[in-house]
């Protein structure tokens, strides 16, 4: 019996969520403190899922799991058509909080199923199959999440291209969860409606949100975190104007400000979900995480981005 193993991790978007859907650049980083692990074996019978959310044959699974099932089916069709699989998932990423849970689970499951069939997929194949599941999860995903949940370091994404970003020194962050489930599909539709009504204004905002991503590449390289933080506050205001924030997100951004964050903003689809806050040190990140939890965050994780080598 061949046991396949797949791994992925959560992701957070530093700049450019929503704008990325319209071709603007976005920056995302891996959240290694939120891992996903999947195991799979192939069977001749029906596919069975074993996860915290559901245990049993996929035919009886709740519809909320259809993106995961789409991932398993896409992988099986690709590597072992006609077969079923027993798939076990362990995920530390809270579901529907803008941290890439759906893409990370899909990506880990796809890798595990392929490995169980004796196939080693390359990054591009994993990406393409993950996008199949992401389409089921939220319509027309840009592809940012599917890349970020496999990335080792910070990435810049401009539809449809992804590249690695040079980071000069370790950057400390906190991710804090409002506890309110986000609704990426709804949020993306909301922005689309706003753009249809007032394209001049919304396009200008999309452009400015994208420009924060471009300058963040230099800021991460040079360690100019104060300037980057200032743009995070500004990006949050603009995302509010785009209608993708909510009172709970605004509250946590305010708490981050009052405990000394260099910058903070909502991250991911919004309308619930999480904020990210930029800290000056590990100690500050830990302090901020405690304060955010005391002030209503469901959970808060200090995390960081490691320096990377210059590629060019
Ligand atoms: C979701 O994590 C990011 C969005 O920009 C949607 C997408 O890129 O597909 C809101």
């Amino acid at each position: 019996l061949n046991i396949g193993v797949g791994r992925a991790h959560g992701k957070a978007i530093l700049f450019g969520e929503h704008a990325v859907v319209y071709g603007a650049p976005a920056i995302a980083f891996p959240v290694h403190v939120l891992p996903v692990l999947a195991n799979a074996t192939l069977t001749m019978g029906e596919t069975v899922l074993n996860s915290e959310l559901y245990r049993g044959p996929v035919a009886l699974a709740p519809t909320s799991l259809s993106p995961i099932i789409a991932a398993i089916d896409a992988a099986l069709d690709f590597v072992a058509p006609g077969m079923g699989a027993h798939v076990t998932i362990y995920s530390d990423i809270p579901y529907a909080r803008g941290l890439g849970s759906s893409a990370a689970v899909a990506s880990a499951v796809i890798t595990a199923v392929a490995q169980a069939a004796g196939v080693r997929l390359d990054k591009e194949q994993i990406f393409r199959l993950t996008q199949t599941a992401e389409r089921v999860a939220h319509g027309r995903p840009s592809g940012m999440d599917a890349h970020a949940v496999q990335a080792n370091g910070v990435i810049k994404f401009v539809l449809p291209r992804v590249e690695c970003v040079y980071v000069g020194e370790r950057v400390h962050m906190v991710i804090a969860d409002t506890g309110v489930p986000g609704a990426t599909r709804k949020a993306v539709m909301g922005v689309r409606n706003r753009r249809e009504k007032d394209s001049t204004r919304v396009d200008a905002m999309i452009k400015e949100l994208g420009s924060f991503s471009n300058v963040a590449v230099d800021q991460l390289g040079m360690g100019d975190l104060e300037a980057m933080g200032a743009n995070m506050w500004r990006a949050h205001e603009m995302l509010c104007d785009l209608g993708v924030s909510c009172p709970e997100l605004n509250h946590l951004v305010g708490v981050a400000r009052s405990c000394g964050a260099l910058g903070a903003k909502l991250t991911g689809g919004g309308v619930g979900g999480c904020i990210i806050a930029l800290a000056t040190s590990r100690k500050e990140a830990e302090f901020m995480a405690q304060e955010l939890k005391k002030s209503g965050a469901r959970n808060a994780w200090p995390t960081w981005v490691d320096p990377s080598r210059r590629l060019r």
Side-chain angles (χ1 to χ4, degrees):
L1 198 66
N2 222 357
I3 301 180
V5 181
R7 284 170 223 282
H9 45 68
K11 68 95 221 297
I13 297 181
L14 182 57
F15 288 109
E17 51 275 271
H18 290 288
V20 72
V21 173
Y22 300 94
I27 306 280
F29 62 91
V31 183
H32 294 292
V33 297
L34 298 176
V36 176
L37 184 68
N39 292 333
T41 52
L42 297 191
T43 72
M44 299 303 286
E46 63 184 338
T47 293
V48 174
L49 194 59
N50 182 7
S51 75
E52 215 173 286
L53 298 173
Y54 172 78
R55 274 166 222 279
V58 293
L60 302 177
T63 51
S64 59
L65 296 186
S66 38
I68 301 178
I69 297 164
I72 300 173
D73 288 346
L76 283 171
D77 279 351
F78 193 63
V79 297
M83 301 278 287
H86 281 194
V87 178
T88 303
I89 299 165
Y90 311 91
S91 175
D92 281 347
I93 311 175
Y95 174 73
R97 304 292 159 76
L99 298 178
S101 161
S102 58
V105 168
S107 164
V109 160
I110 287 160
T111 310
V113 168
Q115 211 182 79
V119 177
R120 212 186 133 86
L121 300 175
D122 63 29
K123 273 202 164 182
E124 179 58 31
Q125 289 168 321
I126 298 172
F127 169 76
R128 261 195 307 104
L129 294 168
T130 302
Q131 278 294 81
T132 315
E134 284 290 271
R135 274 182 217 111
V136 176
H138 48 86
R140 285 178 52 199
S142 65
M144 174 85 178
D145 288 16
H147 280 298
V149 298
Q150 285 290 337
N152 289 323
V154 181
I155 58 168
K156 175 178 172 185
F157 181 75
V158 189
L159 256 170
R161 240 186 30 256
V162 65
E163 56 191 62
C164 298
V165 172
Y166 166 69
V167 178
E169 60 189 61
R170 185 175 269 203
V171 178
H172 293 277
M173 309 264 189
V174 183
I175 296 172
D177 181 4
T178 59
V180 180
T184 301
R185 186 190 281 268
K186 211 173 109 200
V188 170
M189 264 167 51
V191 174
R192 191 187 314 145
N193 291 341
R194 238 165 238 256
R195 187 164 175 262
E196 269 161 24
K197 286 197 197 101
D198 190 354
S199 65
T200 314
R201 190 164 156 270
V202 172
D203 282 345
M205 288 164 86
I206 287 169
K207 198 161 167 219
E208 192 169 354
L209 287 167
S211 75
F212 294 152
S213 302
N214 285 330
V215 293
V217 171
D218 297 330
Q219 289 161 341
L220 286 166
M222 295 183 308
D224 190 0
L225 301 186
E226 283 197 13
M228 193 173 89
N231 284 347
M232 289 170 76
W233 302 122
R234 178 93 188 97
H236 183 73
E237 277 169 29
M238 293 176 65
L239 290 163
C240 286
D241 281 352
L242 279 178
V244 297
S245 191
C246 67
E248 293 84 351
L249 285 166
N250 298 343
H251 169 66
L252 291 186
V253 166
V255 174
R257 188 187 286 274
S258 67
C259 53
L262 293 175
K265 59 183 275 295
L266 71 84
T267 185
V271 200
C274 293
I275 67 151
I276 51 168
L278 182 60
T280 49
S281 65
R282 174 76 189 177
K283 217 169 127 220
E284 280 295 314
E286 276 164 7
F287 165 74
M288 236 190 281
Q290 288 308 325
E291 292 300 307
L292 284 157
K293 278 196 270 190
K294 273 193 235 158
S295 309
R298 166 76 58 86
N299 214 333
W301 303 269
T303 187
W304 65 92
V305 174
D306 273 328
S308 54
R309 262 178 286 145
R310 201 184 280 280
L311 290 174
R312 284 166 288 149

